[in-house]
Amino acid sequence: TQSTWGNRVLSMKLLVAAAVVFVLLNGVLAETETRLVIEICRHGARAPLALFPKDAGRFPWESVGGLGQLTPVGMRMHNLLGMELRRRYILDSPLLSGTYKHDEVFIRSTDYDRTIQSVQSQLQGLFPSGPRLASPQTHTAVPPLGIRDREQYIAQLGDNAVGGGGQPIPIHVVPKATDHLLRGNEVDVCPRIAQLYAETQASEEYKQLDNRYKWLWAALANVTGMADLNLFNTWAVDDVITAENFQAVDHMPGLDQELIQEAVQLYGKSLAMHYAGAEIQSLSASEFFKELISKIDSHIESYMSGQLAPLKLAIYSGHDMTLTGLLSALERFDSRNPPYASTLIVELHMEPVSALLRGKTHGMNAFSLKFLFNDVPLTLPGCQRSLCPWPIVRSLLLSKTVPDIELACRAQPQGTASA
């Protein structure tokens, strides 16, 4: 209602006035203030999902976890990522508290070992120190199960709540087949995606490109033993090569580097062609964009009503296809498969109090969003620069959503033209 809106505006003006007094007393006029950070990341380096038939067993992938599993290299990548986030948003900025607070941080992952372990590794870098016990608690913090050498273990733990002084942090997951948020473009979640893939592959442009490189598929198949290679599934070659690169493993003999590079580039081209359509972009990104809008709207509404919004950081751990779908929907996919440990970071900024005081901006217009993909600022459609007013970004995100994702994801009857 009008009176409610008036109360919110009054509350915001009071907050601004208080902030101005604080700023003037401290002799500083701040730049835009980061209010909320949302990160979407790909898991770190992993073992291949499958091996070349002619090269199976050359490297013992079981020694680093097994096929498809996060490797120690991948753990290190995300741990370093967490350490950098700690520097940016804790040490160099007052956004987050120095230690974990449950109402400031939200974590969501797909239900895969590699994504869960990746974000665990990142969180250890972000919050390296956990809670400690007071001296009397070290002997009350004991489960009813009989523990042999209990006193020895207690001495080893010291006053740390857990071994190593770490900080356990909740990670939320949902079943793979219902994860529209982070697996929205997977065919087991959204059957309509499979039809859209087939439509792209049936197009003349796609078929011509695939036929033009039949020699490449044959050459790769001859060396690797992988059958039925084509423009769509050449990712399987890239998958093995990339995993070996990060593990510092030599490639199989006879695999020409130029062939590999050409296959990788063509796979990126294939991805861009598959994700060029408006429908597949919306199906891929709809539920995440809804989540993004909800979290940012909630933060702004809390601020405008004079309340402190507790959430400061949300991390979503997913896959290369998670990022491919989101970047395509933002119209900023660069035809390259997102590397291991890639990040899409979204920062919510508020205008400096000097601008608010002059009445230059107010309400939602006082807030802007910045998207950074692997630290490169993205200027979204309709925006003049990377720091873009929230109403403009909100309108873009909303245009890429669908009202009922379950209905939109149903496979259409044969012969039905796509919208």
Side-chain angles (χ1 to χ4, degrees):
T1 65
Q2 189 172 0
S3 60
T4 302
W5 178 254
N7 289 336
R8 288 183 176 181
V9 172
L10 177 60
S11 297
M12 186 175 182
K13 287 181 177 179
L14 291 173
L15 279 173
V16 169
V20 169
V21 170
F22 174 82
V23 166
L24 293 177
L25 287 174
N26 286 273
V28 177
L29 279 176
E31 296 180 354
T32 57
E33 177 189 357
T34 304
R35 303 283 307 180
L36 173 67
V37 173
I38 296 174
E39 175 205 326
I40 312 96
C41 60
R42 185 189 179 186
H43 57 77
R46 58 161 170 77
L49 297 179
L51 300 177
F52 295 146
K54 290 187 177 181
D55 194 40
R58 182 169 55 87
F59 178 79
W61 288 103
E62 289 299 325
S63 67
V64 290
L67 295 182
Q69 295 297 308
L70 190 72
T71 66
V73 172
M75 298 174 194
R76 169 67 69 88
M77 295 171 77
H78 269 274
N79 196 244
L80 287 170
L81 179 56
M83 293 169 72
E84 174 60 17
L85 294 183
R86 180 174 179 82
R87 183 192 66 77
R88 294 186 187 188
Y89 302 117
I90 296 177
L91 302 180
D92 293 351
S93 163
L95 177 65
L96 287 168
S97 300
T99 56
Y100 169 74
K101 287 184 169 45
H102 74 91
D103 55 350
E104 287 188 353
V105 179
F106 173 79
I107 311 296
R108 168 85 177 258
S109 174
T110 59
D111 192 14
Y112 286 83
D113 291 350
R114 58 183 176 268
T115 53
I116 295 171
Q117 288 179 301
S118 288
V119 77
Q120 284 175 333
S121 301
Q122 186 177 151
L123 291 169
Q124 287 179 16
L126 182 60
F127 297 109
S129 300
R132 297 178 179 275
L133 304 182
S135 181
Q137 295 170 335
T138 59
H139 282 75
T140 61
V142 178
L145 179 73
I147 299 178
R148 192 174 65 180
D149 302 325
R150 185 180 75 173
E151 293 304 315
Q152 178 182 338
Y153 292 152
I154 289 175
Q156 290 174 359
L157 286 169
D159 62 354
N160 293 316
V162 298
Q167 170 65 67
I169 296 176
I171 299 171
H172 302 271
V173 298
V174 300
K176 295 184 180 74
T178 61
D179 194 354
H180 285 282
L181 194 74
L182 297 175
R183 299 187 70 245
N185 53 356
E186 297 291 348
V187 296
D188 61 323
V189 176
C190 186
R192 175 65 181 146
I193 294 286
Q195 292 183 318
L196 293 174
Y197 280 175
E199 289 177 17
T200 296
Q201 292 160 30
S203 70
E204 285 303 314
E205 179 187 10
Y206 191 93
K207 288 191 292 185
Q208 288 176 11
L209 186 62
D210 191 22
N211 288 331
R212 191 183 311 156
Y213 286 94
K214 281 189 178 298
W215 65 269
L216 177 60
W217 318 139
L220 289 171
N222 182 56
V223 175
T224 66
M226 301 187 84
D228 302 320
L229 285 175
N230 54 48
L231 186 58
F232 180 67
N233 63 19
T234 188
W235 68 266
V237 175
D238 179 41
D239 186 64
V240 176
I241 296 302
T242 302
E244 289 180 342
N245 285 341
F246 276 87
Q247 197 59 32
V249 174
D250 292 335
H251 303 316
M252 67 176 295
L255 197 56
D256 184 85
Q257 190 63 32
E258 290 185 5
L259 292 182
I260 293 171
Q261 290 304 317
E262 193 145 26
V264 169
Q265 291 175 7
L266 286 168
Y267 174 54
K269 174 68 173 175
S270 173
L271 281 176
M273 294 173 75
H274 280 93
Y275 283 87
E279 183 180 2
I280 196 168
Q281 290 176 5
S282 291
L283 294 177
S284 302
S286 174
E287 300 312 286
F288 188 85
F289 284 174
K290 288 178 184 177
E291 174 103 341
L292 191 58
I293 291 170
S294 174
K295 280 188 164 35
I296 292 174
D297 277 353
S298 176
H299 188 99
I300 293 174
E301 288 171 8
S302 294
Y303 182 84
M304 292 177 64
S305 63
Q307 301 173 4
L308 294 176
L311 182 66
K312 302 296 176 65
L313 174 68
I315 300 177
Y316 298 85
S317 184
H319 309 263
D320 51 351
M321 295 306 293
T322 308
L323 288 167
T324 295
L326 296 178
L327 290 168
S328 298
L330 294 171
E331 301 177 34
R332 291 299 177 264
F333 180 59
D334 63 0
S335 299
R336 289 182 292 183
N337 196 39
Y340 292 141
S342 287
T343 57
L344 179 62
I345 292 178
V346 185
E347 295 178 341
L348 175 66
H349 291 251
M350 188 178 74
E351 287 295 309
V353 292
S354 57
L356 297 174
L357 183 64
R358 293 194 306 268
K360 182 179 178 181
T361 53
H362 64 277
M364 286 206 307
N365 290 314
F367 295 87
S368 300
L369 241 60
K370 178 182 283 189
F371 285 74
L372 302 105
F373 178 58
N374 290 336
D375 247 5
V376 177
L378 304 179
T379 300
L380 302 185
C383 301
Q384 300 300 314
R385 56 196 180 112
S386 59
L387 189 61
C388 190
W390 169 234
I392 295 176
V393 180
R394 190 182 191 280
S395 178
L396 171 66
L397 300 180
L398 199 59
S399 72
K400 302 286 186 173
T401 63
V402 296
D404 186 337
I405 193 65
E406 295 291 344
L407 180 62
C409 273
R410 291 178 186 170
Q412 294 184 2
Q414 291 288 334
T416 303
S418 61

